[in-house]
Amino acid sequence: MKWIFAFCFVIFAILLITGCGADGGGVPEIVGSAAHTVVQPLASVFQSPPTGGFTEPVDTGIPAAWYPPADREKGWKAIVLHHSATHNGSADKFDDYHRNGKHWMGVGYDFVIGNGNGSGDGRVEVTFRWREQIAGAHVGGTPGNWANEDAIGICLVGDFTRTSPTARQMDSLVKLVRFLQSRYGIPKSRIYGHSDTPGYKGHTVCPGRYFPMYRFKRML
Ligand SMILES: [Zn+2]
């Protein structure tokens, strides 16, 4: 009987050892291979460029049209905000008015932000003044014409003596002005409403009493 017990014990021990050995040896391999099959594809996704020939740099959320051409970029020193004093409008519409009504070389602003009447609500249009980095025609009569020469002119469509800018216009304005501030090192103190532009001696009420200048500067 003893040898039967001994034999059973040996068989049991062998099963136990090989079983544990199989599990013990197998677990790390399975984990290892699982880790490889999971980690490697993920790693390769991060390391490889996305499919479809997409080669753009990381998306900063800034439209390419806002960047001036590198070969003629000016060192802008200030920003002047305007309203159009009209219910509707667009860069094209103001271009037509400034060109044919005032006999300027075209729209006087660098950027126009629509209100949904004539162009998209919050849509930022870039004019030829910005694309060519030339002086604007938006604040006449400052000493040495400094404001047209050195300040970026942004016009929001709307008559802010009667209504406020739309929420989307304000969102776009904040985004645009933040971009311009960081690119040219323009502090909040050099962001003006047309009527408050240093050296301006005219009587415009632009950008209107319902343009929320104080709140706008807190949003920057
Ligand atoms: Zn103005």
Side-chain angles (χ1 to χ4, degrees), residues 80-83 109 138-139 194-195 204 206-207:
V80 176
L81 305 178
H82 303 265
H83 73 157
Y109 314 110
H138 54 96
V139 187
H194 183 171
S195 59
T204 185
C206 178

Side-chain angles (χ1 to χ4, degrees), residues 74-216:
K74 278 181 56 165
W76 299 94
K77 296 181 172 65
I79 295 170
V80 176
L81 305 178
H82 303 265
H83 73 157
S84 66
T86 58
H87 173 65
N88 61 9
S90 64
D92 272 352
K93 195 158 185 170
F94 302 146
D95 188 73
D96 181 48
Y97 172 56
H98 289 170
R99 193 180 297 272
N100 300 313
K102 300 201 174 198
H103 304 293
W104 298 345
M105 60 192 294
V107 59
Y109 314 110
D110 295 285
F111 298 93
V112 175
I113 304 180
N115 67 351
N117 301 307
S119 67
D121 186 6
R123 181 181 169 205
V124 177
E125 294 183 281
V126 182
T127 79
F128 76 101
R129 304 258 179 193
W130 187 251
R131 285 195 299 274
E132 297 175 20
Q133 293 286 286
I134 57 176
H138 54 96
V139 187
T142 57
N145 200 30
W146 84 265
N148 281 330
E149 292 286 345
D150 296 331
I152 301 160
I154 302 174
C155 177
L156 285 76
V157 178
D159 181 353
F160 305 146
T161 65
R162 298 163 187 268
T163 59
S164 298
T166 69
R168 288 187 177 180
Q169 280 184 301
M170 292 304 291
D171 287 346
S172 295
L173 182 64
V174 167
K175 184 175 174 182
L176 175 60
V177 168
R178 277 183 183 160
F179 166 70
L180 297 171
Q181 278 189 282
S182 74
R183 191 164 186 89
Y184 301 106
I186 298 172
K188 286 184 193 181
S189 58
R190 289 212 302 268
I191 300 170
Y192 309 109
H194 183 171
S195 59
D196 296 324
T197 305
Y200 173 72
K201 301 231 179 341
H203 300 287
T204 185
V205 295
C206 178
R209 62 190 168 128
Y210 291 117
F211 178 81
M213 184 64 84
Y214 180 76
R215 183 163 62 87
F216 166 64

